[in-house]
């Protein structure tokens, strides 16, 4: 006798003729050389087996289709998430670029500000040097004026003493002209 196995259906293990998950198997055997009642009986068993398990196969196919649909839906959802993340990264990249540009611009402004402060310090230093020089010149002029006025006043005072009666004529004239100072 040779063993006849139906074509492999989903869930049917062709090695041992058992449907995966069932404990019993149906072994279909034929005898060489002719068909008897046994062939008709085997054919009916095959039809019954195929009918019983086709419902189970249909359920398995339905379950697999449902799982594939779920996987497809999940993959689509993951794809949407990746697209959203890419969009957020792009938007954030624009913000990062803006922040970077502002930071570079701020650094340039800070450097320009330092240059301006250096110039202002130099101008202030030069102004203070000029003020010190002006103060020195004014002090020197004041001293010269003071010395000149002191000398002039002393000379006038000496002239007044010489005009008071020592060595002059009765008019009070010392013979130097019209009695004026110069």
């Amino acid at each position: 006798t040779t063993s006849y196995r139906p074509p492999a259906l989903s869930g049917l293990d062709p090695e041992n003729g058992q449907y995966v998950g069932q404990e019993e198997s149906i072994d279909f055997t034929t005898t060489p050389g002719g068909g008897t009642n046994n062939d008709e009986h085997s054919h009916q068993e095959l039809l019954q087996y195929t009918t019983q398990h086709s419902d189970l196969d249909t359920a398995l196919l339905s379950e697999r289709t449902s799982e594939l649909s779920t996987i497809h839906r999940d993959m689509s959802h993951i794809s949407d998430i990746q697209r959203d993340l890419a969009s957020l990264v792009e938007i954030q990249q624009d913000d990062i670029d803006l922040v970077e540009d502002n930071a570079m611009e701020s650094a340039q402004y800070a450097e320009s500000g330092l240059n301006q402060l250096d110039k202002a310090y130099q101008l202030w230093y030069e102004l203070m040097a000029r003020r010190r020089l002006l103060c020195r010149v004014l002090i020197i002029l004041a001293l010269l004026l003071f010395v000149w006025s002191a000398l002039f006043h002393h000379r006038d005072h000496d002239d007044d003493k010489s005009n008071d009666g020592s060595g002059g004529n009765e008019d009070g004239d010392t013979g130097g002209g019209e009695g004026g100072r110069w």
Side-chain angles (χ1 to χ4, degrees), residues 74-94:
D74 290 346
M75 293 290 284
S76 176
H77 183 68
I78 289 171
S79 175
D80 290 343
I81 289 172
Q82 287 178 335
R83 211 175 4 258
D84 291 344
L85 284 174
S87 170
L88 288 173
V89 166
E90 185 177 333
I91 289 171
Q92 289 177 352
Q93 185 62 43
D94 291 342

Side-chain angles (χ1 to χ4, degrees), residues 28-48:
F28 301 101
T29 58
T30 59
T31 57
T36 58
N37 254 348
N38 194 16
D39 277 343
E40 201 173 300
H41 179 63
S42 294
H43 185 52
Q44 285 178 353
E45 282 181 5
L46 179 61
L47 284 175
Q48 182 182 5

Side-chain angles (χ1 to χ4, degrees), residues 28-170:
F28 301 101
T29 58
T30 59
T31 57
T36 58
N37 254 348
N38 194 16
D39 277 343
E40 201 173 300
H41 179 63
S42 294
H43 185 52
Q44 285 178 353
E45 282 181 5
L46 179 61
L47 284 175
Q48 182 182 5
Y49 176 78
T50 306
T51 306
Q52 286 175 353
H53 293 295
S54 72
D55 291 340
L56 189 56
D57 288 340
T58 305
L60 281 174
L61 283 174
S62 175
E63 183 179 334
R64 284 184 183 171
T65 304
S66 173
E67 287 176 4
L68 285 174
S69 176
T70 301
I71 290 171
H72 185 285
R73 185 176 58 245
D74 290 346
M75 293 290 284
S76 176
H77 183 68
I78 289 171
S79 175
D80 290 343
I81 289 172
Q82 287 178 335
R83 211 175 4 258
D84 291 344
L85 284 174
S87 170
L88 288 173
V89 166
E90 185 177 333
I91 289 171
Q92 289 177 352
Q93 185 62 43
D94 291 342
D95 290 342
I96 288 171
D97 290 343
L98 182 63
V99 167
E100 183 181 7
D101 291 343
N102 287 342
M104 289 173 42
E105 188 175 322
S106 295
Q108 290 173 350
Y109 285 144
E111 188 173 334
S112 174
L114 283 174
N115 291 337
Q116 294 293 329
L117 283 173
D118 283 343
K119 286 180 184 178
Y121 177 74
Q122 288 173 355
L123 290 174
W124 176 81
Y125 186 77
E126 289 174 8
L127 179 66
M128 295 311 288
R130 287 180 185 163
R131 282 188 179 176
R132 283 191 297 264
L133 180 63
L134 181 64
C135 285
R136 288 177 187 156
V137 168
L138 288 176
I139 289 172
I140 291 172
L141 284 175
L143 286 174
L144 287 175
L145 185 62
F146 178 72
V147 168
W148 182 75
S149 70
L151 285 177
F152 186 70
H153 181 67
H154 181 61
R155 192 169 147 194
D156 281 344
H157 187 62
D158 285 344
D159 285 343
D160 288 341
K161 281 186 180 180
S162 65
N163 286 338
D164 281 347
S166 66
N169 54 22
E170 41 288 333

